[in-house]
Amino acid sequence: MKNKSWIQIAVFLFFIVIIPLGSYYYLKRGYDYRKEALESMQDLGPLPESVFTTVDGRTIPTDSLQGHLVIANAFSLQHADQSRQFGELMVKLNDQFEETGRLVLLSFGTNPEYDVPEAIQAFAKEYDLLNKPRVYW
């Protein structure tokens, strides 16, 4: 009977003390990581006045990007595995932020041999990212 009460006390203390302390430690580490990441970000200044032209002929003046979170990335369709991963990532980002209207995705091809307008349009169509309002190729 005495052993059973010690086990009950140990289990009780585990749930009342150990689990909350472990949760606090885990969440504090995540908070500290996020805070450090935000502090390391720096403002690179305003985007220079310019106009980008997409592969389908749309123009994007830089002033239309004001107030948006802009992710500009360089990619190449040369490697199928990397292209697939890039496409899946773009879909996730677009799906996650589509309703907010705050995210703009600018993608620039880096290899003129593989990243021709027709190939980029086919790629964007494959991932249902062609003619999305804030996704530009």
Side-chain angles (χ1 to χ4, degrees), residues 74-129:
F75 74 99
S76 177
L77 298 175
Q78 182 176 1
H79 303 288
D81 286 345
Q82 291 175 351
S83 297
R84 180 184 49 74
Q85 290 173 350
F86 176 71
E88 291 170 359
L89 177 62
M90 293 288 285
V91 168
K92 285 180 186 177
L93 284 170
N94 186 59
D95 289 349
Q96 185 175 3
F97 291 96
E98 188 170 29
E99 289 182 15
T100 67
R102 302 235 339 117
L103 180 70
V104 175
L105 300 169
L106 297 175
S107 301
F108 302 95
T110 59
N111 189 332
E113 186 178 332
Y114 291 93
D115 305 333
V116 294
E118 297 79 18
I120 293 173
Q121 286 179 322
F123 175 80
K125 188 174 183 179
E126 177 183 346
Y127 288 95
D128 194 29
L129 293 170

Tab-separated table of all heavy atoms in Angstrom, residues 74-129:
chain	number	residue	atom	x	y	z
A	74	ALA	N	15.026	33.620	-56.924
A	74	ALA	CA	15.607	33.208	-58.195
A	74	ALA	C	15.531	31.689	-58.265
A	74	ALA	O	15.774	31.003	-57.287
A	74	ALA	CB	17.054	33.667	-58.277
A	75	PHE	N	15.144	31.178	-59.413
A	75	PHE	CA	15.003	29.735	-59.562
A	75	PHE	C	15.421	29.328	-60.967
A	75	PHE	O	15.588	30.161	-61.851
A	75	PHE	CB	13.561	29.302	-59.286
A	75	PHE	CG	12.611	29.667	-60.405
A	75	PHE	CD1	12.239	28.725	-61.342
A	75	PHE	CD2	12.124	30.953	-60.520
A	75	PHE	CE1	11.385	29.060	-62.374
A	75	PHE	CE2	11.270	31.308	-61.544
A	75	PHE	CZ	10.898	30.352	-62.475
A	76	SER	N	15.587	28.037	-61.149
A	76	SER	CA	15.863	27.487	-62.469
A	76	SER	C	15.088	26.192	-62.629
A	76	SER	O	14.963	25.416	-61.683
A	76	SER	CB	17.353	27.217	-62.656
A	76	SER	OG	17.567	26.619	-63.924
A	77	LEU	N	14.583	25.978	-63.795
A	77	LEU	CA	13.848	24.756	-64.101
A	77	LEU	C	14.781	23.653	-64.599
A	77	LEU	O	14.317	22.613	-65.055
A	77	LEU	CB	12.765	25.045	-65.148
A	77	LEU	CG	11.694	26.039	-64.727
A	77	LEU	CD1	10.762	26.339	-65.884
A	77	LEU	CD2	10.935	25.520	-63.537
A	78	GLN	N	16.069	23.856	-64.485
A	78	GLN	CA	17.054	22.918	-65.011
A	78	GLN	C	16.991	21.560	-64.311
A	78	GLN	O	17.122	20.527	-64.945
A	78	GLN	CB	18.452	23.508	-64.879
A	78	GLN	CG	19.540	22.636	-65.434
A	78	GLN	CD	20.892	23.317	-65.362
A	78	GLN	OE1	21.023	24.434	-64.884
A	78	GLN	NE2	21.911	22.643	-65.861
A	79	HIS	N	16.775	21.551	-62.987
A	79	HIS	CA	16.775	20.307	-62.219
A	79	HIS	C	15.360	19.982	-61.755
A	79	HIS	O	14.748	20.753	-61.020
A	79	HIS	CB	17.711	20.418	-61.015
A	79	HIS	CG	19.116	20.766	-61.405
A	79	HIS	ND1	19.946	19.883	-62.035
A	79	HIS	CD2	19.813	21.930	-61.283
A	79	HIS	CE1	21.105	20.466	-62.270
A	79	HIS	NE2	21.055	21.715	-61.829
A	80	ALA	N	14.861	18.842	-62.161
A	80	ALA	CA	13.468	18.477	-61.893
A	80	ALA	C	13.147	18.398	-60.400
A	80	ALA	O	12.097	18.872	-59.964
A	80	ALA	CB	13.142	17.142	-62.568
A	81	ASP	N	14.033	17.806	-59.600
A	81	ASP	CA	13.761	17.674	-58.161
A	81	ASP	C	13.662	19.043	-57.493
A	81	ASP	O	12.760	19.286	-56.687
A	81	ASP	CB	14.853	16.854	-57.464
A	81	ASP	CG	14.744	15.373	-57.777
A	81	ASP	OD1	13.688	14.950	-58.279
A	81	ASP	OD2	15.719	14.642	-57.501
A	82	GLN	N	14.592	19.928	-57.802
A	82	GLN	CA	14.562	21.265	-57.214
A	82	GLN	C	13.343	22.043	-57.695
A	82	GLN	O	12.723	22.774	-56.919
A	82	GLN	CB	15.844	22.018	-57.549
A	82	GLN	CG	17.063	21.472	-56.855
A	82	GLN	CD	18.341	22.171	-57.296
A	82	GLN	OE1	18.344	22.952	-58.242
A	82	GLN	NE2	19.435	21.873	-56.614
A	83	SER	N	12.981	21.866	-58.949
A	83	SER	CA	11.802	22.544	-59.484
A	83	SER	C	10.541	22.072	-58.779
A	83	SER	O	9.671	22.871	-58.440
A	83	SER	CB	11.673	22.284	-60.987
A	83	SER	OG	12.767	22.820	-61.676
A	84	ARG	N	10.440	20.775	-58.533
A	84	ARG	CA	9.279	20.214	-57.836
A	84	ARG	C	9.189	20.780	-56.431
A	84	ARG	O	8.128	21.226	-55.985
A	84	ARG	CB	9.354	18.695	-57.801
A	84	ARG	CG	8.172	18.037	-57.100
A	84	ARG	CD	8.339	16.531	-56.998
A	84	ARG	NE	9.629	16.100	-56.478
A	84	ARG	CZ	10.013	16.178	-55.198
A	84	ARG	NH1	9.196	16.657	-54.300
A	84	ARG	NH2	11.198	15.762	-54.827
A	85	GLN	N	10.315	20.799	-55.721
A	85	GLN	CA	10.326	21.347	-54.361
A	85	GLN	C	9.961	22.829	-54.369
A	85	GLN	O	9.195	23.290	-53.514
A	85	GLN	CB	11.702	21.162	-53.720
A	85	GLN	CG	12.028	19.726	-53.397
A	85	GLN	CD	13.472	19.561	-52.910
A	85	GLN	OE1	14.278	20.481	-52.980
A	85	GLN	NE2	13.790	18.374	-52.417
A	86	PHE	N	10.488	23.565	-55.330
A	86	PHE	CA	10.182	24.983	-55.443
A	86	PHE	C	8.696	25.195	-55.709
A	86	PHE	O	8.049	26.040	-55.087
A	86	PHE	CB	11.031	25.616	-56.549
A	86	PHE	CG	10.716	27.051	-56.812
A	86	PHE	CD1	11.052	28.027	-55.891
A	86	PHE	CD2	10.079	27.427	-57.979
A	86	PHE	CE1	10.749	29.359	-56.133
A	86	PHE	CE2	9.790	28.746	-58.234
A	86	PHE	CZ	10.122	29.717	-57.308
A	87	GLY	N	8.146	24.401	-56.623
A	87	GLY	CA	6.714	24.510	-56.945
A	87	GLY	C	5.841	24.217	-55.740
A	87	GLY	O	4.868	24.931	-55.467
A	88	GLU	N	6.180	23.171	-54.993
A	88	GLU	CA	5.404	22.815	-53.799
A	88	GLU	C	5.493	23.915	-52.745
A	88	GLU	O	4.493	24.238	-52.093
A	88	GLU	CB	5.886	21.482	-53.240
A	88	GLU	CG	5.542	20.308	-54.127
A	88	GLU	CD	6.224	19.007	-53.723
A	88	GLU	OE1	7.010	19.007	-52.741
A	88	GLU	OE2	5.963	17.980	-54.381
A	89	LEU	N	6.672	24.503	-52.586
A	89	LEU	CA	6.839	25.589	-51.625
A	89	LEU	C	6.017	26.816	-52.036
A	89	LEU	O	5.366	27.448	-51.203
A	89	LEU	CB	8.314	25.965	-51.497
A	89	LEU	CG	8.635	27.132	-50.573
A	89	LEU	CD1	8.226	26.827	-49.143
A	89	LEU	CD2	10.111	27.456	-50.634
A	90	MET	N	6.034	27.145	-53.306
A	90	MET	CA	5.260	28.280	-53.793
A	90	MET	C	3.767	28.070	-53.557
A	90	MET	O	3.058	28.993	-53.157
A	90	MET	CB	5.530	28.508	-55.288
A	90	MET	CG	6.928	28.965	-55.595
A	90	MET	SD	7.232	30.654	-55.098
A	90	MET	CE	6.359	31.515	-56.368
A	91	VAL	N	3.292	26.851	-53.779
A	91	VAL	CA	1.877	26.546	-53.542
A	91	VAL	C	1.539	26.718	-52.061
A	91	VAL	O	0.520	27.325	-51.708
A	91	VAL	CB	1.532	25.118	-54.024
A	91	VAL	CG1	0.168	24.682	-53.529
A	91	VAL	CG2	1.598	25.044	-55.538
A	92	LYS	N	2.396	26.202	-51.185
A	92	LYS	CA	2.156	26.333	-49.745
A	92	LYS	C	2.105	27.798	-49.331
A	92	LYS	O	1.219	28.211	-48.581
A	92	LYS	CB	3.243	25.612	-48.945
A	92	LYS	CG	3.108	24.124	-48.948
A	92	LYS	CD	4.229	23.495	-48.126
A	92	LYS	CE	4.210	21.999	-48.233
A	92	LYS	NZ	5.321	21.377	-47.500
A	93	LEU	N	3.069	28.587	-49.787
A	93	LEU	CA	3.092	30.004	-49.439
A	93	LEU	C	1.854	30.722	-49.965
A	93	LEU	O	1.219	31.498	-49.245
A	93	LEU	CB	4.352	30.675	-49.988
A	93	LEU	CG	5.646	30.400	-49.250
A	93	LEU	CD1	6.831	30.938	-50.047
A	93	LEU	CD2	5.615	31.019	-47.865
A	94	ASN	N	1.501	30.455	-51.211
A	94	ASN	CA	0.339	31.109	-51.790
A	94	ASN	C	-0.937	30.714	-51.042
A	94	ASN	O	-1.765	31.563	-50.729
A	94	ASN	CB	0.218	30.768	-53.271
A	94	ASN	CG	-0.904	31.547	-53.917
A	94	ASN	OD1	-0.910	32.774	-53.913
A	94	ASN	ND2	-1.873	30.834	-54.442
A	95	ASP	N	-1.083	29.436	-50.746
A	95	ASP	CA	-2.276	28.977	-50.026
A	95	ASP	C	-2.354	29.588	-48.629
A	95	ASP	O	-3.427	29.951	-48.157
A	95	ASP	CB	-2.294	27.451	-49.919
A	95	ASP	CG	-2.559	26.775	-51.250
A	95	ASP	OD1	-2.935	27.472	-52.217
A	95	ASP	OD2	-2.367	25.545	-51.332
A	96	GLN	N	-1.211	29.679	-47.976
A	96	GLN	CA	-1.181	30.184	-46.610
A	96	GLN	C	-1.544	31.670	-46.540
A	96	GLN	O	-2.216	32.099	-45.611
A	96	GLN	CB	0.199	29.961	-45.997
A	96	GLN	CG	0.295	30.346	-44.543
A	96	GLN	CD	1.660	29.992	-43.965
A	96	GLN	OE1	2.550	29.518	-44.660
A	96	GLN	NE2	1.826	30.232	-42.689
A	97	PHE	N	-1.124	32.452	-47.520
A	97	PHE	CA	-1.304	33.898	-47.457
A	97	PHE	C	-2.298	34.450	-48.472
A	97	PHE	O	-2.495	35.658	-48.540
A	97	PHE	CB	0.042	34.602	-47.660
A	97	PHE	CG	0.998	34.400	-46.521
A	97	PHE	CD1	1.961	33.403	-46.573
A	97	PHE	CD2	0.932	35.202	-45.398
A	97	PHE	CE1	2.842	33.221	-45.526
A	97	PHE	CE2	1.797	35.030	-44.347
A	97	PHE	CZ	2.756	34.028	-44.406
A	98	GLU	N	-2.933	33.597	-49.253
A	98	GLU	CA	-3.803	34.065	-50.330
A	98	GLU	C	-4.949	34.942	-49.825
A	98	GLU	O	-5.252	35.981	-50.406
A	98	GLU	CB	-4.368	32.862	-51.095
A	98	GLU	CG	-5.123	33.245	-52.342
A	98	GLU	CD	-5.456	32.043	-53.195
A	98	GLU	OE1	-5.611	30.936	-52.648
A	98	GLU	OE2	-5.560	32.224	-54.409
A	99	GLU	N	-5.560	34.560	-48.730
A	99	GLU	CA	-6.706	35.313	-48.224
A	99	GLU	C	-6.312	36.663	-47.631
A	99	GLU	O	-7.121	37.584	-47.609
A	99	GLU	CB	-7.460	34.486	-47.190
A	99	GLU	CG	-8.195	33.321	-47.806
A	99	GLU	CD	-8.977	32.530	-46.782
A	99	GLU	OE1	-9.184	33.022	-45.662
A	99	GLU	OE2	-9.388	31.407	-47.122
A	100	THR	N	-5.080	36.781	-47.139
A	100	THR	CA	-4.676	38.039	-46.513
A	100	THR	C	-4.410	39.121	-47.550
A	100	THR	O	-4.564	40.299	-47.250
A	100	THR	CB	-3.408	37.868	-45.658
A	100	THR	OG1	-2.302	37.578	-46.506
A	100	THR	CG2	-3.578	36.791	-44.611
A	101	GLY	N	-3.977	38.724	-48.733
A	101	GLY	CA	-3.658	39.702	-49.772
A	101	GLY	C	-2.393	40.488	-49.496
A	101	GLY	O	-2.132	41.488	-50.153
A	102	ARG	N	-1.600	40.073	-48.534
A	102	ARG	CA	-0.408	40.839	-48.145
A	102	ARG	C	0.877	40.285	-48.743
A	102	ARG	O	1.894	40.942	-48.707
A	102	ARG	CB	-0.284	40.873	-46.622
A	102	ARG	CG	-1.471	41.453	-45.948
A	102	ARG	CD	-1.268	42.599	-45.018
A	102	ARG	NE	0.032	42.791	-44.463
A	102	ARG	CZ	0.763	43.873	-44.688
A	102	ARG	NH1	0.325	44.819	-45.462
A	102	ARG	NH2	1.933	44.012	-44.121
A	103	LEU	N	0.863	39.078	-49.262
A	103	LEU	CA	2.084	38.459	-49.773
A	103	LEU	C	2.143	38.572	-51.288
A	103	LEU	O	1.164	38.308	-51.977
A	103	LEU	CB	2.142	36.977	-49.376
A	103	LEU	CG	3.369	36.216	-49.850
A	103	LEU	CD1	4.605	36.695	-49.102
A	103	LEU	CD2	3.186	34.730	-49.647
A	104	VAL	N	3.312	38.970	-51.785
A	104	VAL	CA	3.574	39.012	-53.217
A	104	VAL	C	4.778	38.122	-53.479
A	104	VAL	O	5.803	38.245	-52.817
A	104	VAL	CB	3.861	40.452	-53.702
A	104	VAL	CG1	4.247	40.460	-55.172
A	104	VAL	CG2	2.665	41.352	-53.462
A	105	LEU	N	4.643	37.221	-54.438
A	105	LEU	CA	5.734	36.319	-54.802
A	105	LEU	C	6.279	36.718	-56.174
A	105	LEU	O	5.552	36.676	-57.166
A	105	LEU	CB	5.237	34.873	-54.843
A	105	LEU	CG	4.676	34.320	-53.531
A	105	LEU	CD1	3.984	32.981	-53.764
A	105	LEU	CD2	5.769	34.175	-52.503
A	106	LEU	N	7.527	37.126	-56.205
A	106	LEU	CA	8.209	37.474	-57.456
A	106	LEU	C	9.257	36.406	-57.725
A	106	LEU	O	10.142	36.191	-56.909
A	106	LEU	CB	8.912	38.830	-57.343
A	106	LEU	CG	8.067	40.066	-57.107
A	106	LEU	CD1	8.969	41.278	-56.916
A	106	LEU	CD2	7.140	40.292	-58.274
A	107	SER	N	9.163	35.760	-58.856
A	107	SER	CA	10.112	34.699	-59.189
A	107	SER	C	10.847	35.054	-60.473
A	107	SER	O	10.227	35.416	-61.467
A	107	SER	CB	9.377	33.370	-59.356
A	107	SER	OG	8.691	33.042	-58.182
A	108	PHE	N	12.162	34.920	-60.423
A	108	PHE	CA	13.010	35.256	-61.563
A	108	PHE	C	13.780	34.017	-62.009
A	108	PHE	O	14.470	33.402	-61.205
A	108	PHE	CB	14.011	36.360	-61.181
A	108	PHE	CG	13.363	37.611	-60.694
A	108	PHE	CD1	13.181	37.833	-59.341
A	108	PHE	CD2	12.918	38.560	-61.594
A	108	PHE	CE1	12.577	38.992	-58.889
A	108	PHE	CE2	12.307	39.726	-61.151
A	108	PHE	CZ	12.132	39.929	-59.802
A	109	GLY	N	13.661	33.659	-63.275
A	109	GLY	CA	14.438	32.552	-63.809
A	109	GLY	C	15.898	32.953	-63.938
A	109	GLY	O	16.218	34.089	-64.282
A	110	THR	N	16.797	32.010	-63.661
A	110	THR	CA	18.224	32.330	-63.673
A	110	THR	C	18.984	31.700	-64.837
A	110	THR	O	20.110	32.082	-65.096
A	110	THR	CB	18.895	31.848	-62.369
A	110	THR	OG1	18.707	30.442	-62.242
A	110	THR	CG2	18.310	32.567	-61.174
A	111	ASN	N	18.380	30.741	-65.508
A	111	ASN	CA	19.083	30.045	-66.573
A	111	ASN	C	18.339	30.264	-67.891
A	111	ASN	O	17.333	29.624	-68.148
A	111	ASN	CB	19.188	28.553	-66.246
A	111	ASN	CG	20.079	27.803	-67.199
A	111	ASN	OD1	20.225	28.181	-68.352
A	111	ASN	ND2	20.671	26.730	-66.714
A	112	PRO	N	18.843	31.154	-68.748
A	112	PRO	CA	18.116	31.477	-69.979
A	112	PRO	C	17.924	30.280	-70.915
A	112	PRO	O	17.039	30.291	-71.760
A	112	PRO	CB	18.964	32.558	-70.643
A	112	PRO	CG	20.202	32.688	-69.855
A	112	PRO	CD	20.075	31.900	-68.607
A	113	GLU	N	18.732	29.250	-70.746
A	113	GLU	CA	18.598	28.061	-71.583
A	113	GLU	C	17.355	27.251	-71.207
A	113	GLU	O	16.684	26.693	-72.068
A	113	GLU	CB	19.850	27.194	-71.432
A	113	GLU	CG	19.889	26.002	-72.357
A	113	GLU	CD	21.178	25.209	-72.209
A	113	GLU	OE1	22.212	25.801	-71.831
A	113	GLU	OE2	21.138	24.002	-72.454
A	114	TYR	N	17.042	27.178	-69.929
A	114	TYR	CA	15.915	26.373	-69.441
A	114	TYR	C	14.706	27.219	-69.039
A	114	TYR	O	13.573	26.753	-69.116
A	114	TYR	CB	16.334	25.550	-68.214
A	114	TYR	CG	17.300	24.457	-68.551
A	114	TYR	CD1	18.672	24.664	-68.471
A	114	TYR	CD2	16.855	23.208	-68.959
A	114	TYR	CE1	19.571	23.670	-68.794
A	114	TYR	CE2	17.737	22.198	-69.279
A	114	TYR	CZ	19.099	22.432	-69.195
A	114	TYR	OH	19.980	21.432	-69.507
A	115	ASP	N	14.934	28.431	-68.584
A	115	ASP	CA	13.862	29.254	-68.020
A	115	ASP	C	13.280	30.203	-69.061
A	115	ASP	O	13.191	31.410	-68.849
A	115	ASP	CB	14.393	30.035	-66.811
A	115	ASP	CG	15.004	29.125	-65.768
A	115	ASP	OD1	14.593	27.955	-65.692
A	115	ASP	OD2	15.899	29.569	-65.050
A	116	VAL	N	12.854	29.635	-70.171
A	116	VAL	CA	12.218	30.426	-71.225
A	116	VAL	C	10.754	30.653	-70.833
A	116	VAL	O	10.182	29.886	-70.053
A	116	VAL	CB	12.323	29.712	-72.592
A	116	VAL	CG1	13.773	29.627	-73.036
A	116	VAL	CG2	11.686	28.345	-72.551
A	117	PRO	N	10.140	31.713	-71.335
A	117	PRO	CA	8.763	32.025	-70.926
A	117	PRO	C	7.777	30.860	-71.051
A	117	PRO	O	6.947	30.645	-70.171
A	117	PRO	CB	8.377	33.181	-71.851
A	117	PRO	CG	9.677	33.872	-72.128
A	117	PRO	CD	10.692	32.758	-72.199
A	118	GLU	N	7.879	30.096	-72.124
A	118	GLU	CA	6.944	28.985	-72.312
A	118	GLU	C	7.106	27.929	-71.213
A	118	GLU	O	6.129	27.386	-70.697
A	118	GLU	CB	7.143	28.323	-73.688
A	118	GLU	CG	6.858	29.238	-74.864
A	118	GLU	CD	8.007	30.197	-75.169
A	118	GLU	OE1	9.153	29.972	-74.727
A	118	GLU	OE2	7.738	31.204	-75.850
A	119	ALA	N	8.346	27.618	-70.847
A	119	ALA	CA	8.609	26.624	-69.802
A	119	ALA	C	8.150	27.137	-68.441
A	119	ALA	O	7.574	26.381	-67.639
A	119	ALA	CB	10.099	26.278	-69.759
A	120	ILE	N	8.369	28.414	-68.172
A	120	ILE	CA	7.939	28.987	-66.893
A	120	ILE	C	6.417	28.987	-66.805
A	120	ILE	O	5.844	28.641	-65.762
A	120	ILE	CB	8.514	30.412	-66.718
A	120	ILE	CG1	10.032	30.335	-66.563
A	120	ILE	CG2	7.878	31.106	-65.524
A	120	ILE	CD1	10.723	31.680	-66.552
A	121	GLN	N	5.748	29.343	-67.900
A	121	GLN	CA	4.284	29.329	-67.890
A	121	GLN	C	3.747	27.916	-67.696
A	121	GLN	O	2.779	27.706	-66.958
A	121	GLN	CB	3.738	29.938	-69.172
A	121	GLN	CG	3.889	31.445	-69.212
A	121	GLN	CD	3.379	32.049	-70.494
A	121	GLN	OE1	3.550	31.481	-71.576
A	121	GLN	NE2	2.749	33.208	-70.393
A	122	ALA	N	4.368	26.936	-68.324
A	122	ALA	CA	3.938	25.544	-68.145
A	122	ALA	C	4.145	25.097	-66.699
A	122	ALA	O	3.297	24.410	-66.114
A	122	ALA	CB	4.702	24.634	-69.105
A	123	PHE	N	5.267	25.496	-66.126
A	123	PHE	CA	5.555	25.171	-64.724
A	123	PHE	C	4.512	25.800	-63.799
A	123	PHE	O	3.961	25.142	-62.916
A	123	PHE	CB	6.961	25.670	-64.365
A	123	PHE	CG	7.324	25.511	-62.924
A	123	PHE	CD1	7.750	24.288	-62.430
A	123	PHE	CD2	7.237	26.586	-62.054
A	123	PHE	CE1	8.085	24.135	-61.099
A	123	PHE	CE2	7.580	26.449	-60.721
A	123	PHE	CZ	7.995	25.219	-60.243
A	124	ALA	N	4.238	27.076	-64.008
A	124	ALA	CA	3.254	27.777	-63.177
A	124	ALA	C	1.867	27.168	-63.338
A	124	ALA	O	1.119	27.019	-62.362
A	124	ALA	CB	3.226	29.256	-63.528
A	125	LYS	N	1.529	26.764	-64.539
A	125	LYS	CA	0.223	26.130	-64.783
A	125	LYS	C	0.148	24.774	-64.092
A	125	LYS	O	-0.883	24.406	-63.529
A	125	LYS	CB	-0.003	25.985	-66.285
A	125	LYS	CG	-1.387	25.516	-66.646
A	125	LYS	CD	-1.599	25.521	-68.139
A	125	LYS	CE	-3.028	25.107	-68.448
A	125	LYS	NZ	-3.278	25.119	-69.881
A	126	GLU	N	1.246	24.023	-64.111
A	126	GLU	CA	1.281	22.705	-63.463
A	126	GLU	C	0.970	22.811	-61.971
A	126	GLU	O	0.317	21.947	-61.403
A	126	GLU	CB	2.665	22.078	-63.664
A	126	GLU	CG	2.848	20.744	-62.978
A	126	GLU	CD	4.254	20.199	-63.138
A	126	GLU	OE1	5.030	20.702	-63.978
A	126	GLU	OE2	4.582	19.249	-62.399
A	127	TYR	N	1.431	23.883	-61.338
A	127	TYR	CA	1.208	24.070	-59.902
A	127	TYR	C	0.045	25.025	-59.620
A	127	TYR	O	-0.110	25.493	-58.507
A	127	TYR	CB	2.494	24.555	-59.228
A	127	TYR	CG	3.514	23.453	-59.148
A	127	TYR	CD1	4.495	23.321	-60.119
A	127	TYR	CD2	3.472	22.517	-58.127
A	127	TYR	CE1	5.417	22.281	-60.060
A	127	TYR	CE2	4.379	21.482	-58.063
A	127	TYR	CZ	5.345	21.376	-59.032
A	127	TYR	OH	6.249	20.340	-58.978
A	128	ASP	N	-0.764	25.301	-60.635
A	128	ASP	CA	-1.933	26.169	-60.510
A	128	ASP	C	-1.552	27.538	-59.937
A	128	ASP	O	-2.241	28.067	-59.064
A	128	ASP	CB	-3.024	25.505	-59.664
A	128	ASP	CG	-4.364	26.220	-59.783
A	128	ASP	OD1	-4.617	26.817	-60.843
A	128	ASP	OD2	-5.134	26.218	-58.798
A	129	LEU	N	-0.448	28.075	-60.413
A	129	LEU	CA	0.018	29.384	-59.957
A	129	LEU	C	0.053	30.409	-61.092
A	129	LEU	O	0.581	31.495	-60.934
A	129	LEU	CB	1.415	29.262	-59.340
A	129	LEU	CG	1.489	28.477	-58.040
A	129	LEU	CD1	2.936	28.212	-57.657
A	129	LEU	CD2	0.773	29.204	-56.925
